[in-house]
């Protein structure tokens, strides 16, 4: 029923009627933001938030918050992040689900997710919605390594050993997800080299095209 409703109603009018209810009924406008470590996902998300009023949910930030809140999964998440591996999908998807459901907004940037086909399938099964937009920030490895090593946020995984592991995981697990959305015609590939402003000028038209239905 909600799918038929969503066909006739702009997402925003559904949002007004349905704040505080389940993800699926809320029918959020979802953008997945993909790219290797240091490709500039978080930086570009800030620009999209400023210009288009999205709520930014970084999967990595949600996981790091779990660590600092001493949750029962905290130690396991920390070990996984230190190894540059992927946290079990149900843990990450439940954090994203809670964040969507507790937000008054209906437009979300889900940054650093899905990192694997398993992530993607868990999202489809638990949250039950497909992304409206998928962005992929395409950045050469050398540039990503340089940016991560100069990020200076005190992250346990921003060191050369873990970066090498994260890049391996990116190639083996993230690229299949990117190809999945490419094959379905949902992928917007952005050249992630240039200044933050130059890159954002290639991002802007993607959201501008959706602005009418998002208002
Ligand atoms: P990600 O979220 O993809 O890991 P970030 O947005 O955190 O990447 O960016 C990684 C580092 O690179 C940060 O220190 C950020 O300030 C810097 N950065 C982001 N975009 C650019 C850019 N276009 N050129 C140079 N440095 C950048
Ligand atoms: O995206 P970000 O660089 O903040 O992610 C940091 C780490 O968090 C990843 O290397 C990975 O260990 C973990 N992560 C995850 N699953 C995701 C996103 C991040 O396991 N979907
Ligand atoms: Mg980030």
């Amino acid at each position: 029923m909600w799918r038929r409703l969503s066909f006739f109603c702009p997402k925003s009018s559904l949002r007004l009627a349905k704040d505080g209810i389940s993800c699926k009924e809320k029918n959020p406008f979802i953008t997945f933001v993909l790219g290797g470590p240091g490709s500039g996902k978080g930086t570009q998300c800030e620009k999209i938030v400023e210009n288009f009023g999205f709520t930014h949910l970084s999967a990595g930030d949600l996981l790091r918050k779990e660590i600092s809140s001493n949750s029962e999964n905290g130690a396991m998440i920390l070990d996984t992040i230190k190894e540059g591996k992927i946290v079990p999908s149900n843990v990450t998807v439940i954090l994203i689900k809670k964040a969507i459901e507790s937000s008054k907004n209906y437009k979300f940037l889900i940054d650093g997710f899905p990192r694997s086909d398993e992530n993607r399938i868990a999202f489809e099964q638990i949250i039950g919605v497909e992304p409206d937009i998928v962005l992929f920030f395409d950045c050469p490895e050398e540039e990503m390594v340089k940016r991560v090593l100069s990020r200076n946020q005190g992250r346990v995984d921003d060191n050369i050993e873990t970066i090498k592991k994260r890049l391996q995981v990116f190639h083996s697990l993230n690229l299949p997800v990117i190809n999945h959305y490419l094959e379905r015609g949902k992928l917007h590939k952005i050249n992630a080299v240039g200044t933050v402003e130059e890159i954002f000028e290639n991002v802007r038209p993607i959201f501008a095209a959706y602005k009418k239905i998002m208002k």
Side-chain angles (χ1 to χ4, degrees):
M1 180 58 188
W2 73 273
R3 280 194 186 280
R4 286 181 57 207
L5 253 181
S6 69
F7 179 75
F8 292 111
C9 304
K11 292 199 169 198
S12 52
S13 61
L14 271 184
R15 171 188 61 116
L16 290 174
K18 297 191 169 195
D19 268 351
I21 58 169
S22 81
C23 250
K24 193 168 169 177
E25 287 172 295
K26 190 168 180 172
N27 194 22
F29 187 99
I30 300 282
T31 298
F32 285 157
V33 183
L34 308 178
S39 58
K41 301 182 292 298
T43 304
Q44 291 297 321
C45 281
E46 281 178 30
K47 302 285 297 176
I48 301 166
V49 167
E50 272 168 37
N51 285 273
F52 295 102
F54 277 73
T55 291
H56 177 203
L57 302 178
S58 154
D61 285 350
L62 290 172
L63 292 167
R64 284 183 284 272
K65 243 191 250 164
E66 279 295 284
I67 298 171
S68 49
S69 70
N70 293 318
S71 87
E72 55 171 343
N73 288 319
M76 177 276 289
I77 295 171
L78 178 59
D79 287 346
T80 310
I81 287 180
K82 278 184 183 163
E83 283 303 307
K85 293 184 178 160
I86 309 287
V87 171
S89 297
N90 61 324
V91 171
T92 313
V93 172
I94 285 170
L95 293 175
I96 294 171
K97 184 172 188 280
K98 281 185 191 157
I100 292 176
E101 288 178 354
S102 64
S103 171
K104 288 206 181 330
N105 204 346
Y106 73 102
K107 299 183 275 191
F108 298 93
L109 299 169
I110 307 189
D111 160 7
F113 184 97
R115 280 288 226 280
S116 62
D117 276 329
E118 194 204 271
N119 263 188
R120 175 178 63 75
I121 291 163
F123 186 91
E124 286 165 8
Q125 288 177 347
I126 297 172
I127 302 205
V129 294
E130 283 276 329
D132 296 275
I133 300 177
V134 182
L135 301 181
F136 166 44
F137 290 101
D138 187 26
C139 194
E141 239 178 71
E142 221 182 69
E143 177 69 16
M144 293 196 279
V145 172
K146 198 174 85 187
R147 288 184 192 174
V148 171
L149 289 178
S150 48
R151 180 154 44 191
N152 278 329
Q153 288 178 357
R155 281 176 48 168
V156 290
D157 54 346
D158 282 354
N159 58 76
I160 192 64
E161 286 314 311
T162 312
I163 293 168
K164 283 183 193 159
K165 293 177 186 167
R166 288 158 71 192
L167 287 170
Q168 278 170 5
V169 167
F170 174 68
H171 287 289
S172 58
L173 300 179
N174 300 16
L175 285 182
V177 177
I178 288 162
N179 285 330
H180 172 89
Y181 290 117
L182 178 66
E183 284 162 12
R184 277 153 189 78
K186 280 201 174 176
L187 194 80
H188 296 270
K189 181 170 159 177
I190 315 278
N191 175 12
V193 181
T195 66
V196 171
E197 291 303 328
E198 282 165 351
I199 297 164
F200 184 66
E201 285 317 309
N202 293 323
V203 170
R204 187 193 294 279
I206 299 167
F207 290 91
Y210 281 89
K211 221 174 168 179
K212 264 191 197 153
I213 66 157
M214 290 195 301
K215 277 243 163 160

